């Protein structure tokens, strides 16, 4: 016998399909169509009313408030996106602009808000069935090792054509900076983490290789193997949590067929290894928090090593680990369980403060302050070119940093024209960093609109869904260099015809903003189900996003938030990682059953 929820599924997926088509076509053309969304709302409302479901009868309980907040935030994001007139990443402020809110944006906001709220209300209706599916797995225990080897083999075989077609790998400007430091052509600095540079040095300088191309290729193979093993571990980790096999196999298809993964494992940049470390750090922390007894010594050591790798494979990793550590500490205090927390934290602090940082301070050139102040520089620069309010004293300070007439190079979606300008005085900023931050702060109240617009235009590619740009997206080239690194399609060379050229040319993937909203949707489900442990699992990835939002130099770059792509299957399944008969399940649906 069909339940009411089961009978609702066709209507739900039909309207979801209509909305998806209208959203991706209309928004892809540069604007949303509020009239079309309102029509879909009316159809959805009529269908649900015929089925006896009153989705507009809101009761202001915890679930409803969470859905209202999510819907409003999503609608505001889409409405804001329609205000942006974007041309290209390095375009001047006269080409890339942002309009004020108009009646059109109000329509977009209201229509999207109502539709999103309706969809969420329906999803809440089917949550018990979804949770039951994930928590009622009665399958016999599987041979994890066999699956682990199977997953790894499938991934490596699927990625191999890319490795052969893009031999020896993907080498971009940041890659060349690391190579230059590794070969002694430039002083060591932590702009590109020293740990990553040492790894690069091992493959291109320490190993007995005949050409640097072979070293770059060996690095690509190492990164491919580590990433494949880590993904396989994450899928087996889900199996141990008794997740059904179908979602796991769908996840395997996602990792095998999406071009982002074979391209990123060939990319000689810090982001791939950092994201792998961050993913494993998230899983290990979740395992420790989920255990009622004291975690094993090996598990604690694993968490410590992964915390250090996350910290030193990219500069914002320190803040990711510290933020996660604070939450872990609060959980430990609430549970009055310090057996694992205290030794891990103390060892981490001692290693950083007494060993690693003193060595880095002795041998490494400090990073320029401009790298840490990208967004404040953009906001103050916009204030100058848009004739905002600024005292003559502050203008004189900014003139010492860069001649006032040179701020005309300001590009709203890229900080490089300012911070890499030939007349930009990095030494002055390094010495007067505190004074610059004070200047930024005191000009904020009188230029709040300019600062806000500057922030939106410098970050919007990371948080507005369905917005993409080729900058830092799926790069497959080897930049011109003096090291003799050249790219070659080995398949075409030895067979006469590759076919990979056309496949690589068609590469595509989600934008950073789309990935973010999938993660936020998962967070919403975790809040509704009241699965608090899931928030810890999502936390490192969200902290990566937040730290990028503080200091991003460009409005688009998937590699900065690659962790969101790498952990996406884990994130989407995470809210349903509940034990059978968990009291949280009953609590989470108390309000749902009332409806």
């Amino acid at each position: 016998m069909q339940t009411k929820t089961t009978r609702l599924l066709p209507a739900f997926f039909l309207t979801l399909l209509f909305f998806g088509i209208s959203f991706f076509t209309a928004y892809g053309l540069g604007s949303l169509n509020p009239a079309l969304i309102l029509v879909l709302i009316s159809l959805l409302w009529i269908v649900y009313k015929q089925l006896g479901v009153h989705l507009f009868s809101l009761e202001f309980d915890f679930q409803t408030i969470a859905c209202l907040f999510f819907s409003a935030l999503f609608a505001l994001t889409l409405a804001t996106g329609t205000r942006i007139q974007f041309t290209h990443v390095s375009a001047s402020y006269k080409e890339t602009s942002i309009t004020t809110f108009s009646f059109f944006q109000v329509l977009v906001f209201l229509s999207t808000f109502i539709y999103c709220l309706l969809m969420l209300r329906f999803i809440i209706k089917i949550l018990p069935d979804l949770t039951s599916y994930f928590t009622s797995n009665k399958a016999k225990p599987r041979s994890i090792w066999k699956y682990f080897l199977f997953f790894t083999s499938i991934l490596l075989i699927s990625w191999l054509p890319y490795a052969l077609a893009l031999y020896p790998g993907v080498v971009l400007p940041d890659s060349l900076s690391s190579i230059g430091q590794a070969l002694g052509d430039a002083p060591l600095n932590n702009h590109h983490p020293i740990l990553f540079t040492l790894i690069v040095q091992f493959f291109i300088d320490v190993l007995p290789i005949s050409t640097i191309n072979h070293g770059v290729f060996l690095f690509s193979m190492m990164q491919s193997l580590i990433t494949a093993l880590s993904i396989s571990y994450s899928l087996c980790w889900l199996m141990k949590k008794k997740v059904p096999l179908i979602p796991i196999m769908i996840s395997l298809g996602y990792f095998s067929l999406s071009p982002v993964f074979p391209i990123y494992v060939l990319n000689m940049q810090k982001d791939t290894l950092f994201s792998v470390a961050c993913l494993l750090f998230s899983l290990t922390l979740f395992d420790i928090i989920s255990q009622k007894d004291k975690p094993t010594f090996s598990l604690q050591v694993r968490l410590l090593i992964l915390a250090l790798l996350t910290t030193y494979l990219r500069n914002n990793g320190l803040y990711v680990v510290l933020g996660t550590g604070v939450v872990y500490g609060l959980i430990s205090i609430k549970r009055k369980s310090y057996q694992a927390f205290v030794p891990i934290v103390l060892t981490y602090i001692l290693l950083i403060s007494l060993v690693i940082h003193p060595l880095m301070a002795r041998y490494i050139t400090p990073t320029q302050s401009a790298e840490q102040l990208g967004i404040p520089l953009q906001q103050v620069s916009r204030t100058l070119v848009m004739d905002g309010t600024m005292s003559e004293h502050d203008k004189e300070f900014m003139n010492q940093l860069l001649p006032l007439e040179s701020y005309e190079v300001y590009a709203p979606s890229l900080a490089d024209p300012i911070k890499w300008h030939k007349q930009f005085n990095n030494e002055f900023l390094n010495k007067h960093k505190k004074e610059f931050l004070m200047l930024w702060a005191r000009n904020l109240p009188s230029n709040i609109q300019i600062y806000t617009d500057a922030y939106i235009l410098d970050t919007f590619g990371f948080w507005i869904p369905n917005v993409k740009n080729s900058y830092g997206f799926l790069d497959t080239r080897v930049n011109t260099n003096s090291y003799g690194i050249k790219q070659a399609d080995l398949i075409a060379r030895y067979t006469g015809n590759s076919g990979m050229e056309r496949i690589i040319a068609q590469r595509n993937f989600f934008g950073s903003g789309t990935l973010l909203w999938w993660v936020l949707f998962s967070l919403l489900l975790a809040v509704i189900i009241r699965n608090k442990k899931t928030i810890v699992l999502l936390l490192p990835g969200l902290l990566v996003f937040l730290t990028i939002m503080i200091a991003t130099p460009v409005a688009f770059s998937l590699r900065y938030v690659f962790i969101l792509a790498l952990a996406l299957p884990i994130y989407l399944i995470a809210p349903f990682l509940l034990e059978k008969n968990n009291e949280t399940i009953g609590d989470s649906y108390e309000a749902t059953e009332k409806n």
Side-chain angles (χ1 to χ4, degrees):
M1 181 177 179
Q2 286 189 323
T3 64
K4 182 182 292 185
T5 299
T6 305
R7 287 187 287 111
L8 277 171
L9 285 175
F12 168 67
F13 287 114
L14 188 62
T15 52
L16 183 62
L17 176 64
F18 286 156
F19 179 67
I21 293 173
S22 65
F23 174 81
F24 286 113
T25 55
Y27 200 61
L29 294 174
S31 63
L32 287 166
N33 190 331
L36 179 57
I37 299 175
L38 288 171
V39 170
L40 291 172
I41 290 171
S42 302
L43 291 174
L44 186 64
W45 191 2
I46 292 170
V47 171
Y48 289 167
K49 190 173 182 180
Q50 291 296 317
L51 292 171
V53 180
H54 304 289
L55 293 177
F56 275 129
S57 57
L58 299 180
E59 295 183 15
F60 287 94
D61 50 27
F62 176 77
Q63 291 178 352
T64 303
I65 293 173
C67 290
L68 286 169
F69 179 78
F70 183 92
S71 301
L73 189 60
F74 184 68
L76 180 61
T77 298
L78 295 187
T80 300
T82 63
R83 298 170 53 208
I84 298 172
Q85 310 299 317
F86 177 77
T87 51
H88 55 91
V89 170
S90 57
S92 72
Y93 67 95
K94 297 176 182 178
E95 298 172 282
T96 295
S97 60
I98 183 168
T99 63
T100 57
F101 265 96
S102 66
F103 183 65
F104 176 76
Q105 276 79 41
V106 174
L107 284 178
V108 170
F109 174 83
L110 291 175
S111 58
T112 306
F113 171 74
I114 296 171
Y115 195 94
C116 185
L117 184 60
L118 281 173
M119 299 300 287
L120 291 176
R121 295 278 291 171
F122 180 86
I123 290 170
I124 289 176
K125 288 288 182 181
I126 65 173
L127 265 182
D129 292 338
L130 286 174
T131 305
S132 177
Y133 172 73
F134 282 98
T135 57
S136 60
N137 184 14
K138 297 180 180 179
K140 295 180 180 179
R142 309 180 183 105
S143 176
I144 297 297
W145 274 108
K146 289 182 180 179
Y147 275 96
F148 179 78
L149 294 175
F150 170 72
F151 294 152
T152 305
S153 301
I154 292 295
L155 291 170
L156 292 176
I157 292 171
S158 301
W159 298 346
L160 182 60
Y162 285 85
L164 297 177
L166 297 173
Y167 173 89
V170 178
V171 181
L172 303 174
D174 284 358
S175 314
L176 294 173
S177 295
S178 296
I179 290 172
Q181 293 179 44
L183 295 178
D185 296 335
L188 289 174
N189 68 74
N190 209 43
H191 173 52
H192 303 295
I194 184 62
L195 175 58
F196 178 78
T197 300
L198 293 175
I199 295 172
V200 171
Q201 184 181 42
F202 175 79
F203 284 94
I204 66 171
D205 192 38
V206 176
L207 287 180
I209 53 174
S210 56
T211 70
I212 193 171
N213 267 17
H214 293 343
V216 173
F217 184 69
L218 288 174
F219 173 89
S220 300
M221 293 301 95
M222 173 278 298
Q223 191 162 251
S224 298
L225 180 60
I226 288 177
T227 306
L229 291 172
S230 301
I231 290 173
S232 299
Y233 173 83
S234 71
L235 297 178
C236 291
W237 184 86
L238 289 174
M239 294 179 72
K240 288 183 178 180
K241 303 296 181 186
K242 298 184 179 180
V243 171
L245 189 58
I246 291 177
I248 293 174
M249 296 308 293
I250 292 173
S251 300
L252 178 64
Y254 163 77
F255 289 120
S256 302
L257 302 176
S258 299
V260 65
F261 301 106
I263 288 174
Y264 269 60
V265 296
L266 298 175
N267 197 320
M268 186 181 268
Q269 292 192 111
K270 56 200 171 188
D271 309 283
T272 302
L273 291 178
F274 167 78
S275 298
V276 166
C278 192
L279 170 62
L280 297 178
F281 173 69
S282 306
L283 299 181
T284 306
L285 180 63
F286 184 87
D287 285 339
I288 287 180
I289 290 176
S290 299
Q291 291 188 1
K292 296 180 181 179
D293 302 324
K294 180 182 177 181
T296 61
F297 177 74
S298 62
L299 194 60
Q300 295 179 59
V301 171
R302 192 194 315 166
L303 181 66
L304 176 62
I305 292 173
L306 291 169
L308 290 171
L309 288 174
T310 302
T311 301
Y312 289 104
L313 280 171
R314 204 165 71 186
N315 292 332
N316 61 326
L318 173 64
Y319 307 105
V320 173
V321 173
L322 290 179
T324 308
V326 169
V327 174
Y328 179 25
L330 293 175
I331 293 173
S332 299
I333 292 172
K334 184 177 179 180
R335 293 180 176 179
K336 297 181 180 179
S337 176
Y338 312 102
Q339 300 95 326
F341 174 75
V342 173
I344 292 174
V345 171
L346 286 179
T347 307
Y348 176 83
I349 293 174
L350 289 174
L351 284 173
I352 285 180
S353 58
L354 299 181
V355 180
I356 301 175
H357 273 212
L359 286 173
M360 292 177 66
R362 182 173 180 179
Y363 295 106
I364 299 172
T365 304
T367 303
Q368 297 287 0
S369 296
E371 295 298 329
Q372 305 166 347
L373 300 172
I375 289 178
L377 277 171
Q378 289 287 85
Q379 291 172 317
V380 177
S381 298
R382 187 175 182 85
T383 301
L384 287 170
V385 300
M386 300 297 290
D387 295 324
T389 304
M390 185 178 292
S391 68
E392 292 300 322
H393 178 267
D394 287 347
K395 286 182 180 179
E396 177 57 32
F397 180 93
M398 295 304 297
N399 186 62
Q400 294 181 67
L401 188 60
L402 179 69
L404 291 179
E405 62 273 11
S406 296
Y407 284 98
E408 286 294 319
V409 303
Y410 161 72
S413 298
L414 183 66
D416 287 0
I418 293 292
K419 68 181 185 180
W420 294 121
H421 194 282
K422 61 182 179 180
Q423 292 180 290
F424 189 84
N425 194 336
N426 270 299
E427 185 178 347
F428 178 80
L429 183 59
N430 291 337
K431 293 180 179 179
H432 299 87
K433 182 178 177 180
K434 182 179 178 181
E435 289 89 337
F436 172 77
L437 289 173
M438 292 176 64
L439 180 151
W440 172 85
R442 65 174 168 265
N443 283 280
L444 170 61
S446 55
N447 298 286
I448 186 67
Q449 186 62 57
I450 293 177
Y451 274 42
T452 302
D453 290 347
Y455 184 81
I456 291 173
L457 292 174
D458 199 45
T459 62
F460 73 95
F462 288 99
W463 46 270
I464 295 180
N466 205 39
V467 171
K468 289 180 284 189
N469 187 270
S470 59
Y471 190 98
F473 187 55
L474 294 176
D475 296 312
T476 58
R477 69 185 186 276
V478 169
N479 263 56
T480 303
N481 62 88
S482 59
Y483 298 106
I485 306 172
K486 295 182 179 180
Q487 204 168 63
D489 187 338
L490 297 184
I491 300 176
R493 175 181 293 180
Y494 293 107
T495 65
N497 184 21
S498 171
M500 283 302 297
E501 183 178 349
R502 284 181 294 174
I503 294 175
I504 293 172
Q506 297 298 318
R507 63 193 183 276
N508 204 352
F509 192 65
F510 301 117
S512 302
T514 303
L515 290 170
L516 173 69
W517 279 98
W518 276 117
V519 178
L520 292 179
F521 175 69
S522 182
L523 180 62
L524 174 69
L525 294 184
V527 169
I528 291 173
I529 297 174
R530 299 186 185 180
N531 184 359
K532 297 177 182 178
K533 288 187 294 185
T534 289
I535 299 174
V536 175
L537 188 58
L538 301 177
L539 185 61
L542 290 172
L543 285 173
V544 169
F545 168 79
L546 290 175
T547 54
I548 291 300
M549 289 301 94
I550 294 173
T552 179
V554 64
F556 303 88
S557 196
L558 177 62
R559 69 185 182 91
Y560 289 162
V561 290
F562 180 57
I563 177 61
L564 302 186
L566 189 64
L568 185 61
I570 296 285
Y571 290 160
L572 294 179
I573 296 172
F576 308 103
L577 295 178
L578 295 164
E579 297 178 0
K580 295 179 185 179
N581 303 321
N582 192 319
E583 292 181 2
T584 309
I585 296 177
D587 294 341
S588 66
Y589 298 124
E590 184 178 348
T592 301
E593 294 304 318
K594 288 180 181 179
N595 293 332

